[in-house]
């Protein structure tokens, strides 16, 4: 709610100028297409891959495992606020920065995200009881799976922040979709061959492999953008 309020305040202060009917918007339209078209394949892929875990468990797992993955997925909602932080705060902040200070601020962001991931993951691994309490008594045996879900959710949070910085600096290239999709497809094929996806923990490992691959790809694109700017 707080992040939404900040976003609403920023939008309210923005000046939106409607062009006259006689003015041409060809250049602006071209810029919009240049930024949006390379991201369409990855957006379509993300829409389907977000349900990949549920689909795999529904095909290979049991009814009990499907209920467990549904309960574990609810824990990921605890980290939605950090994902919203990327679009509401990180993107506008990095968009207005002079390039000379971008590397230093980016290092601070990466350090903060790394600290968040390691600290919360460690606490969850050592003391998963509060999250198990939220799930209920029927899921008290899922201590390690809760840890994996938290690591997965935080990895996705880090990925969102990297994408937010990349979008803020317009690091969107013609080969964007290839750099994102090809490694993830390779990760999906590799994971399907390595893991027994009939086991719940292996399904989470599989999803974590895909998420880490996406994070690595986005970091690589961000590095290329920094070198070219």
């Amino acid at each position: 709610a707080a992040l939404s309020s900040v976003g609403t305040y920023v939008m309210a202060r923005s000046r939106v100028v409607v062009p006259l009917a006689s003015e041409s918007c060809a250049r602006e339209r071209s810029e919009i297409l240049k930024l949006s078209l390379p991201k369409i394949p990855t957006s379509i892929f993300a829409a389907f891959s977000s349900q990949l875990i549920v689909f795999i468990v529904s095909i290979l797992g049991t009814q009990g495992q499907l209920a467990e993955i549904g309960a574990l997925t609810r824990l990921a909602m605890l980290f939605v606020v950090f994902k919203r932080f990327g679009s509401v705060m990180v993107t506008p902040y990095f968009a207005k920065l002079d390039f000379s200070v971008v590397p230093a601020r980016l290092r601070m962001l990466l350090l903060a995200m790394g600290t968040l991931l390691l600290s919360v993951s460690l606490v969850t691994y050592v003391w998963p009881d509060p999250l198990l309490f939220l799930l209920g008594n029927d899921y008290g045996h899922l201590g390690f799976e809760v840890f994996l879900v938290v690591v997965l959710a935080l990895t996705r949070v880090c990925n969102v922040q990297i994408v937010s910085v990349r979008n803020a600096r317009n690091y969107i290239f013609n080969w964007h979709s290839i750099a994102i999709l090809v490694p993830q497809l390779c990760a999906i094929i590799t994971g399907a061959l390595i893991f027994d996806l009939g086991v719940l923990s292996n399904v989470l490992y599989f999803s974590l492999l895909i998420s880490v691959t996406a994070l690595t790809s986005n970091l690589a694109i961000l590095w290329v953008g920094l070198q070219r700017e």
Side-chain angles (χ1 to χ4, degrees):
L3 287 176
S4 297
S5 299
V6 172
T8 303
Y9 172 73
V10 172
M11 291 179 63
R13 294 189 61 189
S14 301
R15 296 182 60 189
V16 179
V17 180
V18 180
L20 299 176
S22 58
E23 294 180 341
S24 175
C25 298
R27 185 176 65 84
E28 288 79 2
R29 188 179 296 111
S30 176
E31 289 294 326
I32 292 173
L33 291 176
K34 182 180 178 181
L35 293 176
S36 59
L37 287 180
K39 301 198 309 187
I40 290 178
T42 55
S43 299
I44 296 174
F45 178 81
F48 288 98
S49 63
S50 61
Q51 300 301 317
L52 187 60
I53 296 180
V54 177
F55 176 75
I56 291 174
V57 175
S58 65
I59 297 297
L60 301 177
T62 63
Q63 198 169 30
Q65 288 176 328
L66 189 60
E68 290 173 349
I69 198 64
L72 290 171
T73 302
R74 293 200 298 270
L75 291 180
M77 299 302 294
L78 297 174
F79 301 93
V80 169
V81 63
F82 296 105
K83 289 185 178 181
R84 289 294 305 274
F85 181 80
S87 59
V88 175
M89 302 294 291
V90 174
T91 298
Y93 176 75
F94 275 87
K96 68 181 182 180
L97 288 179
D98 185 83
F99 177 72
S100 60
V101 299
V102 168
R105 302 298 169 82
L106 179 59
R107 284 192 292 269
M108 293 176 60
L109 177 65
L110 293 176
L111 178 61
M113 291 297 101
T115 302
L116 176 68
L117 192 154
L118 292 175
S119 59
V120 176
S121 299
L122 179 60
V123 171
T124 304
Y125 182 79
V126 175
W127 191 41
D129 295 352
L131 296 180
L132 291 174
F133 174 77
L134 293 177
L135 292 180
N137 295 329
D138 294 337
Y139 305 103
H141 61 288
L142 297 178
F144 186 68
E145 285 78 6
V146 164
F147 164 72
L148 291 178
V149 167
V150 169
V151 174
L152 176 60
L154 289 172
T155 303
R156 290 175 174 171
V157 167
C158 293
N159 193 36
V160 168
Q161 311 312 315
I162 297 302
V163 172
S164 298
V165 176
R166 208 190 64 216
N167 290 339
R169 306 303 300 182
N170 290 332
Y171 297 157
I172 301 172
F173 309 106
N174 294 331
W175 42 267
H176 173 273
S177 293
I178 297 176
I180 296 292
L181 294 182
V182 172
Q184 288 197 64
L185 291 174
C186 292
I188 290 174
I189 296 172
T190 302
L193 294 175
I194 294 176
F195 299 118
D196 177 10
L197 298 179
V199 179
L200 180 58
S201 59
N202 286 342
V203 175
L204 296 175
Y205 280 127
F206 176 64
S207 185
L208 185 59
L209 173 63
I210 298 172
S211 184
V212 170
T213 302
L215 176 60
T216 304
S217 299
N218 281 309
L219 282 170
I221 296 174
L222 179 61
W223 182 82
V224 172
L226 290 171
Q227 300 304 308
R228 292 189 177 186
E229 186 172 359

